[in-house]
Amino acid sequence: MQRLVLSCCTVASLLAAREAAAACPAGVPWPAADWPEALMSGPTVAAADEYLFTLTGRDEDREGIRTDGVVMVHRGRVVYEHYARGYAQHNRHLAWSVSKSFLNAMVGVGVGRGALTVDDSICDHYDAGAELCDVTVGDLLDWGSGIDWNEGYEDEPYYLSSVIAMLYGIGSGDMAAFVAAQGLAETPGTIYRYSSGDTVLLSAVLAGALGPGLAADYPWEFIFDPIGMTSAMFERDQAGTYVGSSYVYATPRDMARFGYLFLHDGCWDGEQIVPEGWVAASTQPNPSFQMGKSYEHFLRDGDAVPGRHWWLNLPVPDLAHERRWPAAPPDTFAGLGHWGQTIFVVPSADLVLVRVADDRESGFDQNRYLELALTLAAEDSP
């Protein structure tokens, strides 16, 4: 099956730009114990406040846009910050599926240290059963394992949902084993199917590759400590596997540190934390997606294009896929999570946006949010 061709050499041009800037840049302002501030005011800030923080009806009814906090970092300074609904700067927030992007970075560090490669069979590092030994680390990063999985949430009966069974039901004690037990529905690497199961299994594979000396502490050694994410928490299941699909907690300011790490190609204060080239490889359309075969539920009109545990703002004309966020540049990428959690990274605007929320309805307009943020960034330009 041929891979898809993206329009106007977009991917090639973005990769060339990122690779040209791959060496850790000099002169970048890095946050120390806390972010420097240059908080803005004026009509655009007022418009952002009104759009992001106006509740619909009573809070307990859980209607409309329900933002808990937003942090915008432009040129290395916090230029906008607002909290609501009882949240404040010091409060951790559940990242939900933004956790997947954190796991991407941790796998990247493991690859950089030589513990595993994206071409390894998962059976090299985890006892997944013979049926799954054709699944590679890269397939899991692509959500292309072929494992039989239903990523259904509130819009489907709970008993049909693999992810609910994994997180809260019969699979919650040993989530990776539960995922492996589902078996294959498709040939690995031939079909894209968004799956929290793939991500949890990837967590177990990474831990197995690192061995007992690092399996318990790698989130802190690899990412959280080097970039100063002092608020970070990462839940494990009863078997000791980090729930990489869903359960990272941190303050929005610390989540912004993670976005800033990826804004600068995995560098932090002169040190290459995530290996050179990993960010570029993770923020192009993933190989399983490019095969052109997908489960329709996760290839709807208006969806972002999947990278490797990140989401991209690139068009795919062969699938009638327009840019997900037309107000933003094509180099924009994001970690996206349930109920409105987002980390947006806009390299060409030197911008990182973090939003934490409790959106139980689908009315939040990410494009409008990006439009407001980019207007603020333009007003802040030197």
Side-chain angles (χ1 to χ4, degrees):
M1 190 179 294
Q2 291 186 338
R3 295 183 185 270
L4 300 174
V5 177
L6 302 181
S7 65
C8 301
C9 302
T10 304
V11 173
S13 60
L14 291 178
L15 287 175
R18 289 176 187 160
E19 288 169 0
C24 289
V28 173
W30 301 101
D34 209 346
W35 286 99
E37 295 181 0
L39 294 171
M40 300 178 67
S41 59
T44 307
V45 168
D49 288 346
E50 181 179 10
Y51 179 67
L52 292 165
F53 291 96
T54 300
L55 282 173
T56 300
R58 301 178 305 166
D59 183 53
E60 57 266 31
D61 292 334
R62 294 179 166 177
E63 297 176 346
I65 296 170
R66 297 166 51 77
T67 305
D68 295 329
V70 171
V71 170
M72 300 184 184
V73 175
H74 183 234
R75 297 191 291 125
R77 306 118 62 238
V78 173
V79 297
Y80 178 94
E81 185 173 31
H82 194 146
Y83 300 93
R85 300 184 57 254
Y87 281 88
Q89 188 182 100
H90 65 276
N91 292 125
R92 297 180 181 93
H93 202 288
L94 179 58
W96 284 116
S97 285
V98 177
S99 305
K100 294 176 169 72
S101 300
F102 282 93
L103 186 68
N104 161 285
M106 295 166 192
V107 172
V109 177
V111 169
R113 293 190 177 197
L116 72 171
T117 77
V118 295
D119 296 321
D120 287 354
S121 165
I122 64 171
C123 295
D124 293 342
H125 309 293
Y126 178 78
D127 184 9
E131 183 186 7
L132 299 188
C133 287
D134 286 340
V135 178
T136 67
V137 172
D139 291 333
L140 295 180
L141 279 167
D142 295 344
W143 297 307
S145 69
I147 292 172
D148 193 6
W149 193 258
N150 178 4
E151 188 78 11
Y153 305 115
E154 296 89 350
D155 54 347
E156 296 184 20
Y158 290 169
Y159 64 85
L160 296 178
S161 171
S162 305
V163 66
I164 290 174
M166 179 185 74
L167 293 176
Y168 308 113
I170 59 173
S172 60
D174 188 340
M175 298 188 193
F178 173 78
V179 176
Q182 305 310 300
L184 291 179
E186 304 284 347
T187 302
T190 66
I191 188 168
Y192 164 72
R193 187 180 203 174
Y194 178 79
S195 169
S196 291
D198 279 9
T199 305
V200 168
L201 186 54
L202 181 61
S203 293
V205 169
L206 176 59
L210 296 173
L214 274 176
D217 299 325
Y218 71 81
W220 284 266
E221 179 165 335
F222 285 8
I223 298 295
F224 298 152
D225 287 349
I227 68 174
M229 286 187 64
T230 57
S231 70
M233 297 175 61
F234 201 171
E235 285 191 28
R236 293 191 281 180
D237 67 10
Q238 295 175 40
T241 300
Y242 285 104
V243 187
S245 63
S246 313
Y247 287 162
V248 170
Y249 299 75
T251 64
R253 282 190 168 219
D254 274 358
M255 292 185 195
R257 287 175 178 264
F258 180 65
Y260 203 63
L261 174 72
F262 267 66
L263 178 71
H264 293 292
D265 292 298
C267 289
W268 193 268
D269 199 10
E271 182 181 355
Q272 190 79 50
I273 304 297
V274 178
E276 185 175 337
W278 186 265
V279 173
S282 298
T283 54
Q284 59 178 304
N286 80 48
S288 294
F289 175 79
Q290 290 184 70
M291 298 299 289
K293 185 181 178 187
S294 174
Y295 281 78
E296 289 184 2
H297 181 70
F298 289 100
L299 196 62
R300 297 165 295 192
D301 182 40
D303 281 355
V305 169
R308 287 190 149 175
H309 280 50
W310 288 91
W311 299 94
L312 316 180
N313 195 31
L314 295 170
V316 185
D318 286 359
L319 293 177
H321 232 57
E322 301 297 328
R323 278 169 48 200
R324 174 64 180 85
W325 307 294
D331 65 347
T332 302
F333 59 95
L336 303 178
H338 200 42
W339 291 341
Q341 321 319 312
T342 57
I343 299 176
F344 279 98
V345 181
V346 190
S348 57
D350 199 359
L351 184 65
V352 174
L353 313 173
V354 174
R355 177 177 183 258
V356 293
D358 185 40
D359 296 338
R360 303 305 177 98
E361 298 179 339
S362 59
F364 183 72
D365 186 345
Q366 293 175 344
N367 195 60
R368 172 65 175 148
Y369 169 51
L370 284 161
E371 184 178 45
L372 286 164
L374 287 160
T375 300
L376 279 173
E379 292 173 0
D380 181 53
S381 295

